[in-house]
Amino acid sequence: MERLLQHLRNLGFTEMEAKVMVELSRQNVASGYEVAKRLGASRSNVYAALQRLAGQGYLRASAGEPVRYSMLPPGELTRMIEGQMRESLLAVEKEMPRTEPAKPTFYNVEGDRKVLESLTRELERAEHEIVLDLWREEAELLREALKKAESRGVRLLWSCDNGESMLGPWLPRASGTDGQETSGRKFSFVIDRRWCMLGMRGENCPTQALITEHPVMTGLLLDHFAQDLILYELEHDMGSELSTRYGWRYESIIGKYMSAGE
């Protein structure tokens, strides 16, 4: 009994309507007074429920006084409810207002504390993978957060710079307006291939970072990470053989794209 009442409530009927429907199905035909008496409920509440159900077509009402009510056969009742629900679902799907999906945003974070807090918070949420390219100084600051992530089963992919990058001799160095080289240490993180941070930190420069979930930036950082490690492996595997085998062509290719153009 209670299970049937619960299913009727799930279909949108009130507690009183559900009880009236079950009681009428038992009696086949009954007046409002008889239904109220069997349920032990107030006649006003029972009459109101009967009128709503009759108005919606779920039960039949006879002419004359007193009005006698009867439920539709179960199969007819369920087909009627099913049709109404299907119609409502189609209307919701068609008419529900649609908004544009949220566009990924870029935002800046400044200051040592804010950058590290933002990064630590995201590291704690990591579920699958953390790709990080950073210097040893920043790695030490995040040691505990990274150890906790690894203990949860998160895969860590490292590229830890000690200032002797394999591309160091070829990359043009960025200069400030006064012509002095920047002293900041660059770092980047990609978490679960969804969230990324790219920034710079150092003793003589303000700590700043760009944070976004934009797939283009995430893809660029992952591509850079992969290319960096592949070139590192090639150079360390081949050593001087690389220059011997490719000679001037290897240096001219890199110099063409990586030199400062001086």
Side-chain angles (χ1 to χ4, degrees):
M1 171 68 171
E2 183 55 40
R3 187 165 176 266
L4 176 56
L5 291 173
Q6 182 59 52
H7 283 303
L8 288 169
R9 289 193 293 267
N10 290 343
L11 290 170
F13 296 104
T14 66
E15 182 77 18
M16 181 56 68
E17 288 170 344
K19 289 181 176 180
V20 166
M21 293 170 75
V22 173
E23 188 58 39
L24 271 179
S25 295
R26 283 175 173 166
Q27 297 186 47
N28 192 22
V29 178
S31 66
Y33 172 78
E34 292 169 334
V35 174
K37 185 177 180 180
R38 285 181 177 269
L39 291 176
S42 71
R43 282 182 288 178
S44 60
N45 289 341
V46 170
Y47 284 137
L50 287 167
Q51 288 173 0
R52 286 194 301 271
L53 291 169
Q56 294 167 348
Y58 296 125
L59 51 81
R60 302 185 181 98
S62 67
E65 288 293 338
V67 177
R68 299 180 68 78
Y69 299 90
S70 61
M71 283 297 302
L72 295 177
E76 188 177 342
L77 174 67
T78 54
R79 284 193 296 274
M80 182 178 180
I81 294 173
E82 182 181 13
Q84 291 174 342
M85 291 187 69
R86 187 183 301 111
E87 184 179 348
S88 295
L89 288 171
L90 290 173
V92 169
E93 182 180 353
K94 181 179 179 181
E95 299 173 16
M96 182 67 74
R98 289 171 170 77
T99 58
E100 291 293 324
K103 296 179 180 179
T105 57
F106 296 82
Y107 60 97
N108 294 314
V109 180
E110 296 187 3
D112 224 38
R113 183 178 62 82
K114 290 184 178 179
V115 169
L116 290 174
E117 283 180 354
S118 297
L119 186 52
T120 301
R121 197 162 48 241
E122 204 63 32
L123 290 174
E124 290 173 351
R125 294 174 53 194
E127 296 179 355
H128 308 293
E129 177 187 82
I130 300 172
V131 177
L132 53 156
D133 186 354
L134 74 174
W135 289 50
R136 298 189 187 279
E137 289 85 345
E138 284 62 53
E140 283 298 321
L141 291 174
L142 298 164
R143 177 187 293 272
E144 289 305 314
L146 292 169
K147 284 175 63 177
K148 288 179 181 178
E150 196 168 29
S151 69
R152 298 195 308 270
V154 177
R155 182 172 69 153
L156 301 186
L157 300 176
W158 292 77
S159 175
C160 198
D161 195 347
N162 61 1
E164 297 178 357
S165 169
M166 59 188 171
L167 294 180
W170 308 106
L171 275 174
R173 296 184 178 274
S175 300
T177 54
D178 57 358
Q180 298 297 315
E181 294 179 352
T182 58
S183 57
R185 298 182 296 272
K186 297 175 184 176
F187 58 85
S188 67
F189 291 79
V190 181
I191 299 178
D192 290 338
R193 308 209 168 194
R194 168 191 55 81
W195 182 97
C196 64
M197 173 186 281
L198 175 65
M200 180 176 284
R201 181 177 181 271
E203 287 71 23
N204 300 315
C205 74
T207 301
Q208 294 180 316
L210 172 71
I211 298 175
T212 185
E213 293 188 14
H214 199 294
V216 170
M217 180 62 74
T218 303
L220 286 173
L221 289 178
L222 290 173
D223 286 346
H224 172 76
F225 181 83
Q227 292 166 9
D228 208 32
L229 289 189
I230 290 169
L231 185 54
Y232 176 86
E233 291 285 347
L234 287 173
E235 290 199 346
H236 280 259
D237 182 55
M238 299 184 70
S240 59
E241 184 183 351
L242 191 64
S243 297
T244 302
R245 180 176 298 183
Y246 295 102
W248 63 270
R249 180 165 174 74
Y250 176 66
E251 293 188 358
S252 66
I253 290 174
I254 293 181
K256 179 179 179 181
Y257 298 104
M258 295 297 197
S259 69
E262 296 177 353

